[in-house]
Amino acid sequence: MAAQILVIDDDAEMAAVLCERLTRRGFGVAVETCSAHALDRIGGEDFDAVLTDVRMRGIGGIELCERIRASRPGLPVLVITAFGDLEIAVLAIRAGAYDFLTKPIEIEELAFRLDRACEHRRLTQEVVRLREREMPPAGDLLGESAEMVRLREIAARVAASDGPVLVLGETGSGKERVARAIHRQSARGAGPFVAVNCAAMPEHLIESELFGHERGAFTDARSARVGMLAQANRGTLLLDEIGELPLPLQPKLLRALQERSVRPIGASHEQPFDARVIAATNRDLDAAVEAGQFREDLFFRLDVLRVQVPPLRARGGDVLWLAQVFVRRCAERSGKAVTGLSRGAAEKLLHYPWPGNVRELENCIERAVALTDHDQVVPEDLPERIRDYGRRDVLVAGEDPTELVPLEQVEQRYIARVMDAVGGNKTLAAKILGVDRKTLYRKLGA
């Protein structure tokens, strides 16, 4: 749906021009030439942003900003001032204006600012909405994105079967949580869920963990041990990081899965078991098979029902949804009165790519809740890598000649740094850089 903009200007001709140009760029535009009438409309209609002139008959732009801030505090107001009228612009910002533009107005710049203002409002509303939502049950596959809706549907269908499952996904994306959800929804949900990390122990210990051993089977075997395949009887066994399972053990596991029985180390007889196997990995097993690092027959045995877990960066607004859940949980555990995220913190979380996925986000929020002195997480509470993500160093710090860059690249870095510092305000950036806006547009490639 197009963003809805209210244009307020007592110059009917100027208002009509702005309406026509913004409509051509995809905005829904309403026009008012009387400030008092505009306030009535704002009270009864839902707009995404307001664009107003400062100098108008009746209620001026400054007073208009103050009244809108009082009645609709989340509605961004952009004001138009005369060129060089910086003092008026400052007064407007203090009165609650979101942004200001100077005449003559460049329509592309105006459209960019309005887009940013509408996104600001949407993000503010999302933060409030998430703060007011009820806590989801622990163990659920959390998220509202299309990717997570699809994942929950796939997990439910897979749970209805009893075949082997291969869960693929990046580190920290929630593969074990998916495995637990499949187990919980399956006919085996009342049985045990047993997990073993194939990358966390040496080869001889993994064999003992999986298959068990008899007393005296090796030096430290002081008592018999039931293996995890047997422990998961009538339930589910998760073989986490299956891609790291040593090659010598792979044929033994394959035989156990085919025969549905295991022979503990040192035993002379087989022990039957009835467990569903879910394997999980962050590796490309197809490539590992081609490289001879993973047995093809075991791969085909495990890869019957495949579930792909999306990375956090592909899940859109789920970042904020999960962050809000983690804030509440951490605040509850620590006894701190932290209710949610500030808009600034939300923006930082949305812009960061989360290479460590959900696990990294949860650790980040736990740290932020522990450190904050506010009733909500603010940008200063976040780790430096997240606060400063996207900033570009203007010059290299080292003296290595191979690190030196061409002058043109230094200029581009500096322009980008200035644009970051002024929040994309090209007029202000041009003033700081000492160039006109046309020159800045050319250097930006716009």
Side-chain angles (χ1 to χ4, degrees):
M1 181 178 176
Q4 301 300 304
I5 311 298
L6 177 61
V7 174
I8 308 170
D9 198 323
D10 57 3
D11 183 339
E13 186 177 342
M14 172 60 78
V17 169
L18 289 173
C19 176
E20 186 268 333
R21 291 183 177 179
L22 290 175
T23 300
R24 286 205 325 239
R25 281 160 180 79
F27 294 98
V29 185
V31 173
E32 281 293 343
T33 56
C34 172
S35 301
H37 292 166
L39 285 171
D40 290 338
R41 292 193 67 171
I42 290 169
E45 299 179 40
D46 188 25
F47 294 103
D48 295 298
V50 172
L51 177 65
T52 180
D53 198 0
V54 167
R55 300 185 184 278
M56 296 184 291
R57 295 183 298 275
I59 301 172
I62 303 299
E63 184 179 350
L64 193 67
C65 288
E66 292 172 342
R67 292 199 186 187
I68 293 174
R69 180 172 62 177
S71 61
R72 297 286 300 276
L75 180 60
V77 181
L78 291 80
V79 299
I80 302 171
T81 67
F83 182 74
D85 208 350
L86 194 58
E87 290 184 9
I88 296 295
V90 171
L91 287 175
I93 297 297
R94 288 176 179 172
Y98 171 78
D99 202 352
F100 71 93
L101 300 100
T102 57
K103 298 177 182 177
I105 298 172
E106 295 186 12
I107 194 64
E108 294 301 333
E109 176 71 9
L110 174 58
F112 170 78
R113 304 280 195 89
L114 285 172
D115 278 334
R116 192 175 63 180
C118 293
E119 176 62 18
H120 168 92
R121 180 172 187 262
R122 186 201 65 77
L123 184 56
T124 301
Q125 290 176 327
E126 180 70 2
V127 168
V128 172
R129 183 184 72 84
L130 292 175
R131 194 174 298 168
E132 294 173 350
R133 282 200 57 163
E134 294 183 5
M135 282 279 286
D140 276 8
L141 294 178
L142 304 179
E144 300 176 326
S145 64
E147 289 77 11
M148 286 306 292
V149 171
R150 192 178 306 114
L151 179 61
R152 284 193 288 268
E153 292 173 350
I154 292 172
R157 291 201 297 268
V158 167
S161 169
D162 200 45
V165 183
L166 180 61
V167 182
L168 303 175
E170 296 179 5
T171 299
S173 59
K175 296 186 293 296
E176 181 172 342
R177 184 177 288 269
V178 170
R180 288 183 180 276
I182 292 170
H183 166 72
R184 190 172 58 250
Q185 298 176 73
S186 73
R188 299 175 177 272
F193 180 89
V194 180
V196 58
N197 189 324
C198 299
M201 56 188 74
E203 181 178 332
H204 68 282
L205 287 182
I206 295 179
E207 184 174 6
S208 174
E209 288 290 315
L210 284 176
F211 306 125
H213 61 256
E214 294 292 307
R215 180 182 178 183
F218 48 85
T219 303
D220 294 328
R222 297 183 177 88
S223 60
R225 177 182 177 84
V226 178
M228 288 188 169
L229 283 163
Q231 290 178 36
N233 194 51
R234 297 186 179 179
T236 302
L237 174 68
L238 171 63
L239 298 171
D240 200 10
E241 304 300 344
I242 187 65
E244 308 305 319
L245 187 70
L247 270 173
L249 274 183
Q250 292 181 22
K252 296 180 182 180
L253 175 61
L254 175 63
R255 183 182 180 283
L257 297 181
Q258 289 174 332
E259 302 297 327
R260 311 292 290 179
S261 65
V262 293
R263 176 176 294 183
I265 299 172
S268 58
H269 58 280
E270 298 280 329
Q271 293 181 355
F273 70 92
D274 175 25
R276 183 184 200 176
V277 172
I278 300 179
T281 182
N282 62 0
R283 290 186 63 187
D284 182 346
L285 283 191
D286 295 275
V289 169
E290 288 185 13
Q293 298 169 347
F294 198 86
R295 287 182 63 104
E296 185 177 45
D297 46 6
L298 177 58
F299 173 66
F300 288 139
R301 168 61 62 174
L302 297 171
D303 189 25
V304 177
L305 299 166
R306 180 179 289 204
V307 178
Q308 184 75 48
V309 183
L312 184 55
R313 62 181 173 276
R315 293 170 52 184
D318 278 355
V319 171
L320 299 187
W321 166 222
L322 289 168
Q324 181 65 40
V325 171
F326 296 150
V327 166
R328 291 189 187 178
R329 289 180 181 172
C330 293
E332 190 175 299
R333 287 199 302 266
S334 62
K336 298 187 72 172
V338 184
T339 60
L341 306 167
S342 70
R343 185 188 58 78
E347 286 182 343
K348 296 292 185 182
L349 296 181
L350 281 176
H351 292 159
Y352 185 68
W354 300 107
N357 291 291
V358 179
R359 185 181 300 138
E360 183 184 10
L361 174 61
E362 185 170 13
N363 292 341
C364 162
I365 295 300
E366 184 173 3
R367 172 191 185 277
V369 171
L371 294 180
T372 191
D373 293 324
H374 306 87
D375 61 356
Q376 56 185 1
V377 173
V378 298
E380 291 72 27
D381 301 322
L382 302 175
E384 185 177 353
R385 69 181 185 280
I386 297 172
R387 288 199 313 268
D388 295 343
Y389 178 77
R391 290 186 180 178
R392 301 170 178 86
D393 293 329
V394 175
L395 297 173
V396 294
E399 296 181 358
D400 184 348
T402 63
E403 296 179 349
L404 300 177
V405 298
L407 185 59
E408 181 181 0
Q409 190 172 340
V410 173
E411 180 184 64
Q412 287 297 317
R413 290 183 183 182
Y414 184 63
I415 291 173
R417 179 68 187 91
V418 172
M419 289 293 292
D420 283 345
V422 299
N425 186 326
K426 292 189 178 73
T427 301
L428 190 52
K431 189 172 183 179
I432 292 171
L433 292 166
V435 299
D436 58 41
R437 283 179 293 182
K438 288 184 179 179
T439 300
L440 178 59
Y441 286 140
R442 178 174 54 78
K443 289 182 179 295
L444 289 171

